[in-house]
Amino acid sequence: MSIFFFVMCVWVGLVLLLFGLTLIRGREVFHSLFVRRATVGLVCVALLSLTAYTFYNEYLLKNEISYLQRMNDSLAINQNTIDSLLTEEGGKDILIDSLSKKNVDLEKLLNNVVSYQRIAGKGRSVPIIEKAQVEVEQTEIEIKKVESYNEILSKSSVKDALSKGYAFSGETNYFTFFPPLDTDGMYLDFSLKFIDDRVVDRIAVIYVEIVRLDDQGHFHELYSSFYKPQIELNHFKVYNYLKQKGSRMLVGFFWKDEFGVINTPRYEKTTYILNP
Amino acid sequence: MFDYIYAFFVEHPRAELLFCTWLGALFGHMLSLYDTSFKGCRSFLSRVVPERKDVFYDRLELLLLPAIGSVLAYLLLDPTNIKSATFAGLTWSGTLIALLKRSNSK
């Protein structure tokens, strides 16, 4: 609460005190010339302090609106940055932190604006505030979307388990694979859902590998990543290496009782080919 | 107590505006009491509620006039901030008092 508010409350309080006195004693209070003159003085000063308080809030509101406008523009996180971070280890946490901080800052500003508007009136700032409120809601949606992606595990902690390779036979039927809807973009979004969520407790890691078959029939790894499994939908984003001819994506998982236990753990996988 | 009142006004902005309108009407009424010859609506009140002490009519007038002025001002002028609410109350209170002065002088 500002000094203007305090001063206004003091003068208004004095007028209310006089009101209380008049209520008790009636008009005889005003027989005194001093009381009559004091009343006029008190009322005028109370009105002035109230006006000053309103002007002060209008000034604060104007400043806060221009700050909100600048902040809205500067805090915008580029979609390419979001996509890129989702393909990096630790990127998901960085993204959630950035988006949450952005929302906290915007909401704090919005609360200030709303409290100044209460005193100073809405004025012409409504479109800017509505834009900021929409931005807050969209960021909340973006945070939920980012949280739905699987956490990328550190390669150094799990790569040794595959140092001697892995074994596979055919395609697995433990999950339903949902291929990417947009295959022309820079990144591919795809997901999988386990038929029975109870198997998630038995799964060590989800492994995604993109390889390219060359003319000699050798496979070259273009991308690989390990993910922490989760119940319900498992959501992934990878760079679109599949535009390269002969490339294919292997999506699958390893069992806990084999991964890091036996030399060639079984890879329960499915294969997705875009450009054969 | 002060924090409770402040929190109440934060949660109910319309109540805050109505209070400010009443405050403006009260200011107007207090200013009218500067003129000791101003009878206000005492003659009307003494016909409605006869045979009472002068202080009773003073109290009733002090409660009624700002209340009526504030309700009229709030409904008709629809103020949007505390400054316009206060001056809306002051304006209507002044109008009512001017009408009463005219009827008293007749």
Side-chain angles (χ1 to χ4, degrees):
Chain A
M1 287 182 221
S2 64
I3 186 80
F4 284 98
F5 179 73
F6 179 71
V7 165
M8 180 191 75
C9 286
V10 164
W11 290 110
V12 167
L14 287 170
V15 173
L16 288 174
L17 209 63
L18 194 60
F19 162 72
L21 200 63
T22 314
L23 206 59
I24 296 166
R25 300 279 300 273
R27 282 191 185 215
E28 68 172 58
V29 170
F30 287 85
H31 289 164
S32 158
L33 182 64
F34 169 75
V35 170
R36 293 206 300 273
R37 286 180 177 171
T39 306
V40 171
L42 273 177
V43 166
C44 290
V45 175
L47 282 170
L48 271 170
S49 63
L50 202 134
T51 310
Y53 179 60
T54 312
F55 280 138
Y56 176 63
N57 272 273
E58 280 173 5
Y59 163 76
L60 287 176
L61 176 66
K62 198 173 142 192
N63 279 354
E64 213 73 352
I65 294 286
S66 68
Y67 186 48
L68 179 68
Q69 206 163 8
R70 282 198 317 271
M71 205 182 195
N72 221 9
D73 296 332
S74 69
L75 288 180
I77 300 179
N78 188 274
Q79 187 59 45
N80 274 344
T81 310
I82 294 174
D83 289 342
S84 166
L85 279 169
L86 282 172
T87 61
E88 290 169 18
E89 186 190 321
K92 179 180 164 181
D93 291 335
I94 292 169
L95 208 43
I96 290 173
D97 280 343
S98 302
L99 290 170
S100 301
K101 187 177 181 305
K102 174 188 168 185
N103 254 17
V104 160
D105 291 341
L106 269 178
E107 277 173 348
K108 192 176 160 195
L109 269 177
L110 276 172
N111 285 340
N112 285 347
V113 163
V114 165
S115 73
Y116 298 144
Q117 273 189 329
R118 221 187 81 245
I119 308 298
K122 290 207 164 125
R124 284 178 230 162
S125 56
V126 174
I128 299 163
I129 294 162
E130 279 175 358
K131 189 181 166 196
Q133 283 168 337
V134 163
E135 188 65 38
V136 166
E137 283 166 12
Q138 282 177 344
T139 308
E140 292 281 333
I141 293 168
E142 194 68 46
I143 291 171
K144 284 194 170 57
K145 203 171 143 192
V146 168
E147 280 172 348
S148 72
Y149 284 90
N150 285 48
E151 185 190 327
I152 299 175
L153 297 172
S154 159
K155 268 190 187 168
S156 56
S157 62
V158 292
K159 196 135 186 161
D160 288 342
L162 294 183
S163 59
K164 292 203 167 88
Y166 53 77
F168 63 87
S169 64
E171 304 284 286
T172 188
N173 58 358
Y174 277 98
F175 57 77
T176 308
F177 177 69
F178 299 100
L181 295 171
D182 175 20
T183 53
D184 293 327
M186 213 191 306
Y187 295 91
L188 291 174
D189 251 293
F190 59 93
S191 45
L192 64 87
K193 189 177 181 321
F194 292 98
I195 308 292
D196 183 355
D197 277 332
R198 284 176 297 182
V199 306
V200 174
D201 289 336
R202 292 164 48 204
I203 293 170
V205 292
I206 290 175
Y207 181 57
V208 174
E209 190 177 38
I210 300 177
V211 296
R212 185 177 59 83
L213 184 67
D214 66 16
D215 297 332
Q216 281 82 47
H218 298 130
F219 279 109
H220 298 272
E221 187 189 278
L222 298 174
Y223 171 83
S224 68
S225 202
F226 297 88
Y227 299 87
K228 189 177 170 185
Q230 54 194 34
I231 58 169
E232 296 293 323
L233 206 62
N234 287 262
H235 205 176
F236 312 94
K237 190 183 282 282
V238 299
Y239 187 78
N240 194 359
Y241 291 101
L242 294 181
K243 282 180 182 173
Q244 294 183 37
K245 199 171 164 52
S247 59
R248 58 184 66 191
M249 181 167 68
L250 310 174
V251 180
F253 64 87
F254 295 100
W255 298 107
K256 264 184 192 165
D257 53 10
E258 292 180 11
F259 191 73
V261 176
I262 62 175
N263 284 338
T264 51
R266 197 162 24 126
Y267 186 26
E268 299 280 357
K269 58 108 178 118
T270 190
T271 308
Y272 176 71
I273 301 171
L274 190 62
N275 205 351
Chain B
M1 170 84 174
F2 187 76
D3 289 336
Y4 178 77
I5 294 168
Y6 184 77
F8 174 79
F9 280 141
V10 166
E11 275 177 50
H12 303 93
R14 301 251 346 124
E16 189 180 34
L17 288 176
L18 189 57
F19 174 74
C20 289
T21 315
W22 176 81
L23 214 56
L26 181 71
F27 289 166
H29 187 78
M30 302 290 268
L31 287 174
S32 74
L33 297 177
Y34 184 87
D35 181 2
T36 49
S37 62
F38 176 58
K39 300 241 182 317
C41 57
R42 187 177 285 195
S43 57
F44 168 76
L45 289 174
S46 57
R47 285 201 297 273
V48 171
V49 191
E51 289 168 23
R52 294 285 184 146
K53 286 186 190 167
D54 285 347
V55 74
F56 173 81
Y57 296 120
D58 292 339
R59 285 172 185 164
L60 194 57
E61 187 189 46
L62 187 60
L63 289 171
L64 269 181
L65 283 186
I68 293 169
S70 64
V71 167
L72 277 172
Y74 182 79
L75 290 174
L76 294 175
L77 296 174
D78 194 23
T80 54
N81 61 29
I82 65 169
K83 179 167 63 97
S84 58
T86 312
F87 283 96
L90 190 67
T91 313
W92 271 98
S93 183
T95 308
L96 278 173
I97 287 159
L99 286 169
L100 283 169
K101 247 190 176 165
R102 198 161 175 273
S103 65
N104 283 345
S105 63
K106 278 181 187 172

